[in-house]
Amino acid sequence: MATSGLIEGNADLRPEFAVLGSLEVRSGSTLIPVNGALQRRVLVTLLLDAGRVVPVSRLVTAGWDEQPPDSAEHQVRKTVAKLRSRIPHGPEIIVTDGPGYRALVETEQLDLLLHQQLIRQARGSLDAGQAERAVAQLREALALWRGPVLAGSGGQTIDAASTALEEQRLSAAEQLYDLRIDAGEAAEITGELRGLVDEHPLRETLRSRLMLALYHSGQQAAALDQFARVRDHLADELGIDPSAQLTSLHERMLCQDPSLVLSERSAPRVTAPVTEAPHMLPFDVPDFSGRRSELERVCDVARRAPTGTPTVIALDGMGGSGKTALAVRAAHQLAEQYPDGSLFIDLHGFTPGQASLSSFHAQGNLLAAASVRSDEVPTVSAGRAARWQSYMRGRRMVLILDNAASSEQIRALIPASSDSLVLITSRPRLTGLDGVEWLSLGALPEEDSDQLLRATLGAERVEREPDAAGELVRLCGGLPLAVRIASARLANRPHWTVQRLVERLQDHNRRLDELSSEGRGVAGALLLSYQSMPRDQQSAFRLLGHHPGSLLDTREAAALLDTDVLTAEDLLEELVDARLLEAREPGVYALHDLVRSFVQRIAQGSREPGDEPAMRRLLDYYLGMARHACDVVFPGRRPIEDDGEHRTDSEFDHKEKALQWLDHHRGSLLAAVDAAHDRGLLWHAARLPRELGFHSSIRGYDSRANVALEKGVSASRLLGDRSLTRLNLMNLAMGKWRLGQLRDSVGLLEEAAGLSRQMADEYSEAECQARLGQAYSSMGELEHALQLSQEVSRRARELGFTRLDGSSLSMLGLILVRLGRFEEAMESAERAVAIFDSIEEIQLSVTALSYLSQASEGLGRFEEALARADTALERCQQIGMPAVLPLVLARRADVLVRMGALDEAADSADHALSKAASSTNEINRAMVHLSAGRVRYAQGDLDTALAQQRLAHEIACRMELRYDEACALWHLARTAEDQGHVQMARQHRSAADNLFSLMKVPEAAR
């Protein structure tokens, strides 16, 4: 009989899965239905990556073609729980692993794995010379294919994977047909091949097999007709001719080439006649690394090039990005396609101490390199240009025009009528050239930079200090020139460790000097780009050296440059063209780390009168935007007196937009506080940290925000502003509270409360008292916390301070739950939620709902408690609260344990642990481990439960979280007792009882 949703069948049998076509799940002879598109997509996505971890975020992407709902992650996890209950051995097959899930299946259980194994075995058989065995294995592999994955209804993510699998299938089919043609079975496969060609009419490799099969089965006219068909099809659909390979096969059939009696693969190659073609390509460095996708793109463009016109590919990028090395590598790989030779010329667009070559001189140098006698090279411009074009006409050559400065320099060097490949390298993008395939080179990915370091320095030395080598690569910023120079310095200093060079590079002021060797260096390369710019660009670029962050948008630039947004964008785009700035997305730009070091050196080396006003304008902009964004995200917070007028050009019409602005500018705002403090702009240094403290309460970056708040306290005191000092002290206290630094938090709050009393500021004093109540609750001083919270709630109502009234009622809810007064706790938490909903305050409503869930659970209303926890989770995910999310997930797990839904509880607890591991919020970590321990205890896994409880106890003791410590001891006692450790259980329970008694926590609330 089926139980828990399991379909009737032999429960001992491991299920079998088929994804190559419609999804099928079988247990023995029983077909197990998988209902709903989301269940099918989640299961198939896991099976497509069987054995590997699939993050929940990827399952969300696979599950929804359009924008996923806010509850998407929650829905995916519920879907996984349903799949586990529906599929025999489901919990063993779909396991939770880190940030996602993993499907554990054997090869025999999944048609895709079997299909791939058979193809690998076929290749092995061919390598061993066992062609008949390879044919049998390929046939068996292809027989498993029933159609596209999920029959083509899997959505964009699954369809993309299906397309890749279809390509693998076709390649295997072509290999099978080659073997069968060689074996004399051409006539038997023509029908299959016709069907496949009809499905893929533009696939020339399939068409060539059909032509060969027809030719070898005595149907020469039909074979030639297939060529005519594909030629017409390609012309109609793509406007191109058949490939050189297919055309050559057609010509050989027309001539009845005797070599066609052999297999196509073994046909003799026609060698090119020996010519006196020039071969001027530079040395292709053997340690060339990375740039795989860029190299493939260059080669692909060259191979698809139409005849009769040159193929021009322009590579642009900042100095030292490896443009020349890539062009040379591509030219060497493509050399066989260009039998008339190769030419290379350095145009000296950015060469120290040299003027760039004119087109006239470049044409002369190229003709000389091609062995054209000097008396045949005209001395007038028009004649020389004509001679150059005459030489190139009709030739297939590779031409590298390296280090170009401008479009004008290049235009007259491109062959007018030739099948040649022209590779141009330049720092700026040469937008004046037409008909060019553009490819911009950015920084190397970290993996490619590591590969380059290994190739140049040696793998042994890298592996001796892997962490230092990784940091070295990061400090080089993915710039090949920087990696090569760093490697050369280490190679020439074998007594240096990699760590020593890393430490030298970590000195921001010395980094550019360290990345210099034998007259070449990053600073020199950047200086040439800077000096080549017009004066207005140089001025704008120099001012960017005062920007504190790594990213800037057009509005920031407009404030810094004292201009309008469109003019600022034009200037930034000019810097992008000069490859001194990177365009990340519309309106957002970035300085490469080494470029930032360079421009900051320029800005610091030549202070000008406009520098400080520019910085003030930028700080004013930041403060106005951040304040406005926080007012939208945190409704009901108190305005600050004498805050000045900060005009903002953008209105945030909803929370998501305001929060997005804060997220994108967090790094710049943090750096702006440092810059303001260091430059003596104290008012900005005192005001900006408040906004960061509020934002951090949602996004959880308290360690960094606290540094800014400490500078805010310092700046406020230097200004002698008691109000700002009190504000920064209170926000710093809450940042420390979230990190579990409770004693520090209380000290700061008491100082802030004293300042409030000195200023006779009732609002501020009430805020400080509320935060003190929160801190004392965490420390287990529940009676004191209760009195403070009750008093604050009363004063907040009298003062009309709605937001504070809600937060004090919310805290009362938690304290009353811990004291076992569940009815009162529920009433208090419900009032808090109502207040927060009335002012559209989402963040604080999440914690209030969690406390309401605890009160409901305490009253035995489990369904209601789960509903409150689910609402809290949805809101938490809606606004994105990584600091609170683990606690909300743990709350769900606790309720689910009480309801007996242990699988779903385990999933929620695992999710909570995963999120807690990446969160900086320490104050809730003990509770998350306690929740995980409750789940494992309920499942009977006492060893894991004990480990989680010990972690909770260690955290609680370290942070002086007395209530959490007591809970951990109580659960440790229960687990120890069940394991037979009676004495230990008695000790733990006694300690727990003592703590609970001191806090006046009744038995019902333990």
Side-chain angles (χ1 to χ4, degrees), residues 676-678 680-683 685-686 710-722 724-725:
H677 193 271
D678 294 345
L681 301 174
L682 298 178
W683 190 82
E710 285 167 351
K711 293 195 173 182
V713 171
S714 170
S716 304
R717 285 176 169 152
L718 288 171
L719 287 169
D721 190 318
R722 289 185 300 178
L724 281 178
T725 303

Side-chain angles (χ1 to χ4, degrees), residues 312-316 323 327 347 399-404 410 414 422-426 430 433 436:
V312 184
I313 304 173
L315 312 174
D316 62 84
K323 303 178 293 293
L347 298 171
L399 176 62
I400 298 182
L401 306 177
D402 186 48
N403 197 11
I410 289 292
I414 297 176
V422 182
L423 298 173
I424 303 167
T425 73
S426 63
L430 306 181
L433 296 177
V436 173

